Amino acid sequence: MISLHNVSKSFVTGGTRHQAVEPVSLHIEEGSVHGIIGISGAGKSTLLRMINVLERPDSGQVMVNGQDLTLLGERQLREARRAIGMIFQQFQLVSNRTVLGNVAMPLELARMPKAERMKRAAEVLKYVGLEDKAKHYPSQLSGGQKQRVAIARALANYPKVLLCDEPTSSLDPRTTADILSVLQDINLQLGVTIVIVSHEMDVVNRICDHISVMESGRLVTTYPVVKEGDPT
Ligand SMILES: Nc1ncnc2c1ncn2[C@@H]1O[C@H](COP(=O)(O)OP(=O)(O)OP(=O)(O)O)[C@@H](O)[C@H]1O
């Protein structure tokens, strides 16, 4: 479902080229919750952002849902990205829009008629337990509530994949546990494949079935997570 073949990325800063991600190949099964762990600067976010080509790889192939995203033009890429939701550490909500307005944004971009998009936005907001906050503005919400709104927005277009870039790193331990259980529900109930980048082992260990470790732009290992009750 997600297959990266030798994707790499370098950046030039101050006239010096820095290799953020060395050629990496990685296969993520449909329905999986896949963690990418490593210290700051290891290249995790860059690798994640190459999955939806927010960061265009210098080389390699990015196969998602049977399409090589690196070969698509801007319009086709926009359409392919509808099947790939994304959430961020700093939530990235639009401050002058209501909660419902934020959740409806990707549906507006997909040109869904107004009545339909309001219905869908309300439905996903309810799914994350925030239907009573529809008319609030982001500044009136707690961090955990903001992340729930961001999750609802990411789910609005019925994605098959959800990319999560340090989704709990701004949250306290209890809110972290809440958000992780929302992500787990999305995986189990909606069948969405989840890729989660974190520098916290505890976070990825809790919800992932496979973990990849990155170091200095290299993917050094990928291993399955053995959960209590799994046959040995
Ligand atoms: N847009 C950019 N321009 C220049 N350098 C960048 C850019 N994005 C990332 N880098 C550099 O690429 C390397 C990998 O960054 P990346 O954000 O992918 O790492 P990370 O493991 O996600 O770390 P962090 O958790 O700190 O974000 C770092 O050295 C970073 O400074």
Side-chain angles (χ1 to χ4, degrees), residues 42-106:
K44 310 179 295 295
S45 295
T46 306
L47 185 67
L48 188 77
R49 292 160 66 85
M50 287 197 282
I51 297 178
N52 58 358
V53 195
L54 266 186
E55 213 64 84
R56 189 165 279 281
D58 297 335
S59 68
Q61 267 188 321
V62 177
M63 301 295 299
V64 181
N65 300 325
Q67 272 184 311
D68 182 353
L69 302 190
T70 65
L71 300 180
L72 303 182
E74 274 311 310
R75 215 179 105 199
Q76 290 169 304
L77 186 56
R78 265 201 306 277
E79 268 172 37
R81 279 195 189 122
R82 281 187 207 140
I84 313 174
M86 188 161 187
I87 61 169
F88 306 87
Q89 177 174 356
Q90 295 302 337
F91 324 121
Q92 317 271 39
L93 300 178
V94 177
S95 60
N96 62 358
R97 281 202 166 212
T98 63
V99 162
L100 194 70
N102 267 277
V103 177
M105 274 180 82

Side-chain angles (χ1 to χ4, degrees), residues 9-13 18-21 36-49 55 89 165-166 169 197-199 214 216-217:
K9 182 75 187 177
S10 62
F11 295 104
V12 178
T13 36
H18 170 73
Q19 194 71 32
V21 176
I36 301 172
I37 185 114
I39 60 168
S40 179
K44 310 179 295 295
S45 295
T46 306
L47 185 67
L48 188 77
R49 292 160 66 85
E55 213 64 84
Q89 177 174 356
D165 195 353
E166 300 275 5
S169 298
V197 156
S198 178
H199 62 279
M214 287 199 76
S216 311

Side-chain angles (χ1 to χ4, degrees), residues 153-165:
R153 180 179 58 183
L155 290 181
N157 265 323
Y158 305 91
K160 291 197 158 104
V161 175
L162 179 62
L163 305 179
C164 310
D165 195 353

Side-chain angles (χ1 to χ4, degrees), residues 65-190:
N65 300 325
Q67 272 184 311
D68 182 353
L69 302 190
T70 65
L71 300 180
L72 303 182
E74 274 311 310
R75 215 179 105 199
Q76 290 169 304
L77 186 56
R78 265 201 306 277
E79 268 172 37
R81 279 195 189 122
R82 281 187 207 140
I84 313 174
M86 188 161 187
I87 61 169
F88 306 87
Q89 177 174 356
Q90 295 302 337
F91 324 121
Q92 317 271 39
L93 300 178
V94 177
S95 60
N96 62 358
R97 281 202 166 212
T98 63
V99 162
L100 194 70
N102 267 277
V103 177
M105 274 180 82
L107 304 174
E108 256 172 75
L109 294 172
R111 299 183 194 282
M112 187 184 274
K114 186 165 184 191
E116 204 182 320
R117 74 176 182 251
M118 286 309 160
K119 186 166 168 255
R120 175 63 181 159
E123 185 178 80
V124 271
L125 204 51
K126 186 164 184 220
Y127 181 80
V128 299
L130 286 182
E131 65 269 45
D132 58 328
K133 303 284 187 219
K135 292 187 176 153
H136 286 57
Y137 284 87
S139 61
Q140 299 171 295
L141 305 179
S142 69
Q145 289 170 335
K146 285 181 195 168
Q147 195 59 294
R148 281 175 188 257
V149 174
I151 290 171
R153 180 179 58 183
L155 290 181
N157 265 323
Y158 305 91
K160 291 197 158 104
V161 175
L162 179 62
L163 305 179
C164 310
D165 195 353
E166 300 275 5
T168 60
S169 298
S170 303
L171 306 175
D172 62 50
R174 201 175 135 194
T175 316
T176 291
D178 281 353
I179 293 296
L180 292 180
S181 76
V182 173
L183 295 177
Q184 207 155 26
D185 269 8
I186 289 167
N187 174 253
L188 293 173
Q189 293 177 8
L190 309 180

